Amino acid sequence: MTGSGTSGGDGGTSGTQRRLALLLGAGFAVILAAITVANAESMMSDFASAGVAVTRTHVWVWEVSSIIAWLSLAPPIWYLIAKVRPPRFAWVQVALILVVATVPVSAWHIGVMIVLRKIFYAFEGQAYHFFGPLKNPLLYEYRKDVGTYLQWAGMAAIAQWLLANAGTAPPSRQEPGATFLAVADGAVTHQVPAVEIDQVVAAGNYVEIGWGTRTLLHRATLATVEAELGDGFVRIHRSRIVRRAAIRRVETDRSGDFTIDLANGVTVRGSRRFRAALQA
């Protein structure tokens, strides 16, 4: 679908997203610090009530090592949520993927946590034993990890939704005569100006639209989108079109295939079959 429209511009959109990202990051850091302190102090209190001798240093080592392990999982959890959310996958498939992912996530968390604790204890001249008095510590940790993992996944989903909608321009600011794509994203429909689309890539029954720092999933064929966007875009591969004005550099291989540098810094590959269209 095409129509009239524009957005607030690349600078305004990315600036809004950067400010929101900083705000979300700061809020997450504060919450994480508060939870860490609360867990450590609660653990100390529980040990004292039970008459178990444990040093405050070791309690903090346990908590900090766990937090570091979770922080190392933040990028893959973020990536997973970005890739599996609807409409790319049905909700049932999303739920199944998230459940299956609990096993490697917990295994990584436990492994990193144990390694860090062993290093610290070795530095003290002691030995850390993960398999202590608990009958099945792996199952115990796994049950705790599932809850924490789902919380992190939920926060990632909310943050991605907020960031994706932070730079959406209201329809009232659109200029007459400009072409845009109406891209549905759940309950939100993005009005994406063609002049801000860098590339469109086929992805099964969908296309991935490169819009600034974001990638929107749009249910359409590449041929349909190419026809809607018009002559301002050129097909460089059977599964990719790019905006002509976004092309900054073209380097041709001996085979006739070529590499294109886009204005946003992304490098993409093109096929020799479409070299003539690029030169037209």
Side-chain angles (χ1 to χ4, degrees):
M1 176 179 178
T2 58
S4 300
T6 187
S7 75
D10 292 338
T13 299
S14 60
T16 300
Q17 289 178 312
R18 281 195 298 270
R19 288 190 294 272
L20 179 58
L22 288 173
L23 181 61
L24 291 173
F28 176 74
V30 170
I31 294 173
L32 191 61
I35 292 175
T36 302
V37 172
N39 286 345
E41 293 302 319
S42 177
M43 191 179 300
M44 282 296 302
S45 177
D46 291 342
F47 280 134
S49 299
V52 178
V54 62
T55 67
R56 180 176 293 273
T57 299
H58 284 172
V59 170
W60 274 98
V61 167
W62 301 341
E63 282 300 314
V64 172
S65 62
S66 178
I67 290 298
I68 292 175
W70 279 114
L71 288 174
S72 70
L73 283 164
I77 290 176
W78 181 276
Y79 180 82
L80 175 66
I81 296 303
K83 290 300 181 182
V84 305
R85 67 180 186 178
R88 185 189 296 270
F89 293 92
W91 281 108
V92 173
Q93 293 175 307
V94 172
L96 180 61
I97 292 171
L98 293 179
V99 169
V100 172
T102 60
V103 176
V105 165
S106 181
W108 176 269
H109 172 252
I110 294 172
V112 172
M113 185 175 65
I114 291 175
V115 169
L116 293 176
R117 293 176 183 180
K118 282 185 174 293
I119 291 174
F120 182 85
Y121 274 63
F123 181 77
E124 286 188 324
Q126 303 181 47
Y128 172 75
H129 302 287
F130 175 74
F131 295 93
L134 291 176
K135 183 177 180 180
N136 194 333
L138 289 176
L139 182 59
Y140 172 77
E141 288 293 338
Y142 174 75
R143 287 198 298 262
K144 292 198 306 179
D145 288 348
V146 169
T148 304
Y149 156 68
L150 292 178
Q151 291 176 21
W152 283 59
M155 288 188 292
I158 293 172
Q160 289 176 17
W161 186 87
L162 290 173
L163 289 170
N165 292 282
T168 303
S172 59
R173 298 178 60 184
Q174 296 170 349
E175 297 176 355
T179 299
F180 68 88
L181 289 177
V183 181
D185 182 11
V188 177
T189 298
H190 299 279
Q191 304 293 339
V192 186
V195 294
E196 296 180 6
I197 297 174
D198 299 307
Q199 62 172 322
V200 183
V201 184
N205 295 326
Y206 296 84
V207 292
E208 295 179 344
I209 299 174
W211 182 24
T213 58
R214 285 173 286 176
T215 299
L216 300 180
L217 201 60
H218 181 41
R219 189 174 182 85
T221 65
L222 187 64
T224 299
V225 174
E226 183 179 16
E228 293 180 29
L229 293 175
D231 295 337
F233 287 74
V234 59
R235 187 182 289 257
I236 64 169
H237 190 274
R238 62 183 179 82
S239 61
R240 188 188 307 271
I241 61 175
V242 299
R243 182 164 53 90
R244 290 182 182 274
I247 297 174
R248 291 295 176 267
R249 181 173 177 269
V250 179
E251 181 177 352
T252 304
D253 302 336
R254 291 183 179 180
S255 65
D257 294 340
F258 51 94
T259 301
I260 291 179
D261 292 339
L262 298 177
N264 62 358
V266 173
T267 298
V268 296
R269 293 285 293 170
S271 171
R272 60 181 178 274
R273 291 175 50 196
F274 300 94
R275 191 75 172 83
L278 185 64
Q279 296 173 329

